[in-house]
Amino acid sequence: MDKDFNEFWNAYQPDENRFPRRRAATFRAWNERTPAARKAMLAKVKAEGAPKWKNPYFYVADFPEPEPYNWNGDP
């Protein structure tokens, strides 16, 4: 498993009774995102917490792609 995904999952603290079998689906969605988006999701969940009402799969799938802050796209 991916270390960053595990850190994201633990920070998100989803209700696994309410959202059963979401870990595997969320992991697949996580791997389809860019490294910048993964880093931004992890930072946001760690800083602000996760919305308890939102399925973690849809959080990852719907998270907006971060905008690069310089013209060549480097962080």
Side-chain angles (χ1 to χ4, degrees), residues 5-68:
F5 176 76
N6 286 333
E7 193 173 344
F8 166 81
W9 190 259
N10 290 334
Y12 199 97
Q13 299 177 345
D15 180 352
E16 295 196 48
N17 291 323
R18 187 168 172 209
F19 303 119
R21 300 179 299 280
R22 288 287 95 192
R23 186 179 179 100
T26 305
F27 182 67
R28 285 191 301 273
W30 176 269
N31 282 327
E32 292 173 0
R33 300 304 307 266
T34 64
R38 290 185 226 156
K39 184 177 179 180
M41 283 186 276
L42 177 57
K44 184 169 178 134
V45 169
K46 286 175 75 175
E48 300 173 12
K52 298 299 178 196
W53 55 269
K54 189 157 189 171
N55 183 319
Y57 171 81
F58 291 109
Y59 183 85
V60 170
D62 296 342
F63 195 85
E65 193 66 33
E67 297 283 330

